[in-house]
Amino acid sequence: TTTTTTTTTTTPPKTPKNEDDEDASAGCGARGSVSVDQAKSILEAHLKNKGKFDEAMKEALQTRDEAQSVMESQNEIASRVKASNSLSAELDAQWKDFQAKFDNLFDLAANALKGNLGGGQRGLRAPELISESVVAQILRRSKRLVVLTGAGISAESGIPTFRGADGYWTVGSENYRPQELATWEKFDEMPLELWRWYQYRWGICREAKPNPGHAALVELEGLVQNGLDLVTQNIDGLHLEAGSSSQRLFE
């Protein structure tokens, strides 16, 4: 009689898997698994972006500083221009005041001269004629002689004087005095006329020659023991051309 033994193995039932749990598990693995190379790459990209940001910030700050410097320079220039304009106005006022005083002084001198010539103002000393011998004695006893000349000595050479009747310059129907023309104001107002006037005067000076008055001073320089110092307002060069000493000529 054969006996058969049967062994039964019981396997516990499998629990069904939840698909959501599988997805979550997979996702967690994807996020949580970062290699060293990937980490280094991420860090390098971060540092590179930070470097660019720092460089951009540096350029922005530099641009701001440059703009501020330009604004400060513009403000300084504006202040200088304002100060220059103020100084220019002040100088113009001083120049006009000087012109007025000079004209007044000239008028006083002219009136005094008229009185000396018999013009009739009381209290002025009548002119006296001094003989040549007295002049010679004064010159001989003088230790130092200074002669002052102006436009009048060159009038005989054909150069118009500034204040004489021939010194005026006509523009259209207006007559201008030389002291009015020889100013920046008139140059700004009518530069072409000013150049014409100066060219006209320069042309006359180039053609002019010394006259007997210039020669007389050269002769006097040789007669006086210590010579003489010649101070002139003229820039026509006629004193020097006549033979006056260049060492003692002050133009």
Coordinates of all heavy atoms in Angstrom, one line a residue, residues 216-250:
A216 N 63.6 167.8 -35.8 CA 64.1 168.8 -34.7 C 64.4 168.1 -33.4 O 65.3 168.4 -32.7 CB 63.0 169.9 -34.5
L217 N 63.6 167.1 -33.1 CA 63.8 166.3 -31.9 C 65.1 165.5 -31.9 O 65.8 165.3 -31.0 CB 62.6 165.4 -31.5 CG 61.4 166.1 -31.1 CD1 60.2 165.1 -30.9 CD2 61.6 166.9 -29.8
V218 N 65.4 165.0 -33.1 CA 66.6 164.3 -33.3 C 67.8 165.2 -33.1 O 68.8 164.9 -32.5 CB 66.7 163.6 -34.7 CG1 68.1 163.0 -35.0 CG2 65.6 162.6 -34.9
E219 N 67.7 166.4 -33.7 CA 68.8 167.4 -33.5 C 68.9 167.8 -32.1 O 70.0 168.0 -31.6 CB 68.5 168.6 -34.4 CG 69.5 169.7 -34.4 CD 69.2 170.9 -35.3 OE1 68.1 170.8 -35.9 OE2 70.0 171.8 -35.3
L220 N 67.8 168.0 -31.4 CA 67.9 168.4 -30.0 C 68.5 167.3 -29.1 O 69.2 167.6 -28.2 CB 66.4 168.7 -29.5 CG 66.3 169.1 -28.0 CD1 67.0 170.4 -27.7 CD2 64.8 169.2 -27.6
E221 N 68.3 166.1 -29.5 CA 68.9 165.0 -28.7 C 70.4 165.1 -28.8 O 71.1 164.7 -27.8 CB 68.4 163.7 -29.3 CG 68.9 162.4 -28.6 CD 68.3 161.1 -29.2 OE1 67.4 161.2 -30.1 OE2 68.7 160.1 -28.7
G222 N 70.9 165.5 -29.9 CA 72.4 165.6 -30.1 C 72.9 166.9 -29.4 O 74.1 166.9 -29.1
L223 N 72.1 167.9 -29.2 CA 72.6 169.1 -28.6 C 72.6 169.1 -27.1 O 73.4 169.7 -26.4 CB 71.7 170.3 -29.1 CG 71.8 170.6 -30.6 CD1 70.8 171.7 -30.9 CD2 73.2 171.1 -31.0
V224 N 71.7 168.4 -26.5 CA 71.6 168.3 -25.0 C 72.7 167.4 -24.5 O 73.0 166.3 -25.1 CB 70.2 167.8 -24.6 CG1 70.1 167.7 -23.1 CG2 69.1 168.7 -25.1
Q225 N 73.3 167.8 -23.4 CA 74.5 167.1 -22.9 C 74.2 165.6 -22.6 O 75.0 164.8 -23.0 CB 75.0 167.8 -21.6 CG 76.3 167.2 -21.1 CD 76.8 168.0 -19.9 OE1 76.2 169.0 -19.4 NE2 77.9 167.6 -19.3
N226 N 73.1 165.4 -21.9 CA 72.8 164.0 -21.5 C 71.8 163.3 -22.4 O 71.2 162.3 -22.1 CB 72.3 163.9 -20.1 CG 73.4 164.4 -19.1 OD1 74.6 164.0 -19.3 ND2 73.0 165.1 -18.1
G227 N 71.5 164.0 -23.6 CA 70.5 163.4 -24.5 C 69.1 163.6 -23.9 O 68.9 164.5 -23.0
L228 N 68.2 162.9 -24.4 CA 66.8 163.1 -23.9 C 66.0 161.7 -24.0 O 66.4 160.9 -24.8 CB 66.0 164.2 -24.7 CG 65.9 164.0 -26.2 CD1 64.7 163.2 -26.6 CD2 65.7 165.4 -26.8
D229 N 65.0 161.6 -23.2 CA 64.1 160.5 -23.3 C 62.9 160.9 -24.0 O 62.3 161.9 -23.7 CB 63.7 160.0 -21.9 CG 64.9 159.4 -21.1 OD1 65.7 158.6 -21.8 OD2 65.1 159.7 -20.0
L230 N 62.5 160.2 -25.0 CA 61.4 160.5 -25.9 C 60.2 159.6 -25.6 O 60.4 158.4 -25.9 CB 61.8 160.5 -27.4 CG 60.7 160.9 -28.4 CD1 60.1 162.2 -28.1 CD2 61.3 160.9 -29.8
V231 N 59.2 160.1 -25.1 CA 58.0 159.3 -24.8 C 56.9 159.7 -25.8 O 56.5 160.9 -25.8 CB 57.5 159.5 -23.3 CG1 56.3 158.6 -23.1 CG2 58.6 159.1 -22.4
T232 N 56.3 158.8 -26.5 CA 55.3 159.1 -27.5 C 54.1 158.2 -27.4 O 54.2 157.0 -27.1 CB 55.9 159.1 -28.9 OG1 54.9 159.4 -29.9 CG2 56.4 157.7 -29.3
Q233 N 53.0 158.8 -27.7 CA 51.7 158.0 -27.8 C 51.6 157.3 -29.2 O 50.7 156.5 -29.4 CB 50.5 158.9 -27.5 CG 50.6 159.6 -26.2 CD 49.4 160.5 -26.0 OE1 48.2 160.1 -26.1 NE2 49.6 161.7 -25.6
N234 N 52.4 157.7 -30.1 CA 52.2 157.3 -31.5 C 52.9 155.9 -31.7 O 53.9 155.6 -31.1 CB 52.9 158.3 -32.4 CG 52.3 159.7 -32.2 OD1 51.2 159.8 -31.8 ND2 53.1 160.7 -32.6
I235 N 52.3 155.2 -32.6 CA 52.9 153.9 -33.0 C 53.1 153.9 -34.5 O 53.2 152.8 -35.1 CB 51.9 152.7 -32.6 CG1 50.5 152.9 -33.2 CG2 51.8 152.6 -31.1 CD1 49.6 151.8 -33.1
D236 N 53.4 155.1 -35.1 CA 53.6 155.1 -36.5 C 55.1 154.9 -36.9 O 55.4 154.7 -38.0 CB 53.2 156.5 -37.1 CG 53.7 157.6 -36.2 OD1 54.8 157.5 -35.7 OD2 53.0 158.7 -36.1
G237 N 56.0 154.9 -35.9 CA 57.4 154.6 -36.1 C 58.2 155.7 -36.7 O 59.3 155.5 -37.1
L238 N 57.6 156.9 -36.8 CA 58.2 158.0 -37.5 C 59.4 158.6 -36.7 O 60.4 159.1 -37.2 CB 57.2 159.1 -37.8 CG 56.1 158.7 -38.8 CD1 55.2 159.9 -39.1 CD2 56.8 158.2 -40.1
H239 N 59.3 158.6 -35.3 CA 60.4 159.0 -34.5 C 61.7 158.2 -34.7 O 62.8 158.7 -34.9 CB 60.0 159.0 -33.0 CG 59.2 160.1 -32.6 ND1 59.6 161.4 -32.7 CD2 58.0 160.2 -32.0 CE1 58.7 162.2 -32.2 NE2 57.7 161.5 -31.8
L240 N 61.5 156.9 -34.8 CA 62.6 156.0 -35.0 C 63.1 156.1 -36.4 O 64.4 156.1 -36.6 CB 62.1 154.5 -34.8 CG 63.2 153.5 -34.7 CD1 64.2 153.7 -33.6 CD2 62.6 152.1 -34.6
E241 N 62.2 156.3 -37.4 CA 62.7 156.5 -38.8 C 63.4 157.8 -39.0 O 64.4 157.9 -39.8 CB 61.5 156.4 -39.7 CG 61.8 156.5 -41.2 CD 60.6 156.3 -42.1 OE1 59.5 156.0 -41.5 OE2 60.7 156.6 -43.3
A242 N 63.1 158.8 -38.2 CA 63.8 160.1 -38.3 C 65.2 160.0 -37.7 O 66.0 160.9 -38.0 CB 62.9 161.1 -37.6
G243 N 65.4 159.0 -36.8 CA 66.8 158.9 -36.2 C 66.8 159.0 -34.7 O 68.0 159.0 -34.2
S244 N 65.7 159.1 -34.0 CA 65.8 159.1 -32.6 C 66.3 157.8 -32.0 O 66.2 156.7 -32.6 CB 64.3 159.3 -32.0 OG 63.9 160.6 -32.3
S245 N 67.0 157.9 -30.9 CA 67.6 156.7 -30.3 C 66.6 155.7 -29.9 O 65.7 156.0 -29.1 CB 68.5 157.1 -29.1 OG 69.0 156.0 -28.4
S246 N 66.8 154.4 -30.4 CA 65.9 153.4 -30.0 C 66.0 153.0 -28.5 O 65.0 152.5 -28.0 CB 66.1 152.1 -30.9 OG 67.5 151.7 -30.7
Q247 N 67.2 153.3 -27.9 CA 67.4 153.0 -26.5 C 66.6 153.9 -25.6 O 66.3 153.5 -24.5 CB 68.9 153.0 -26.2 CG 69.7 152.1 -27.0 CD 69.4 150.6 -26.8 OE1 69.1 150.2 -25.7 NE2 69.4 149.8 -27.9
R248 N 66.3 155.1 -26.1 CA 65.6 156.0 -25.2 C 64.3 156.5 -25.8 O 63.8 157.6 -25.4 CB 66.6 157.2 -25.0 CG 67.9 156.8 -24.4 CD 68.8 158.0 -24.1 NE 68.2 158.8 -23.0 CZ 68.9 159.8 -22.4 NH1 70.1 160.2 -22.9 NH2 68.3 160.5 -21.4
L249 N 63.8 155.7 -26.7 CA 62.5 155.9 -27.3 C 61.4 155.0 -26.7 O 61.6 153.8 -26.7 CB 62.5 155.8 -28.8 CG 61.2 155.9 -29.5 CD1 60.5 157.3 -29.4 CD2 61.3 155.6 -31.0
F250 N 60.4 155.6 -26.1 CA 59.3 154.8 -25.5 C 58.0 155.0 -26.2 O 57.4 156.1 -26.1 CB 59.2 155.2 -24.0 CG 60.5 155.0 -23.2 CD1 61.4 156.1 -23.1 CD2 60.8 153.8 -22.7 CE1 62.5 155.9 -22.4 CE2 62.0 153.6 -22.0 CZ 62.9 154.7 -21.9

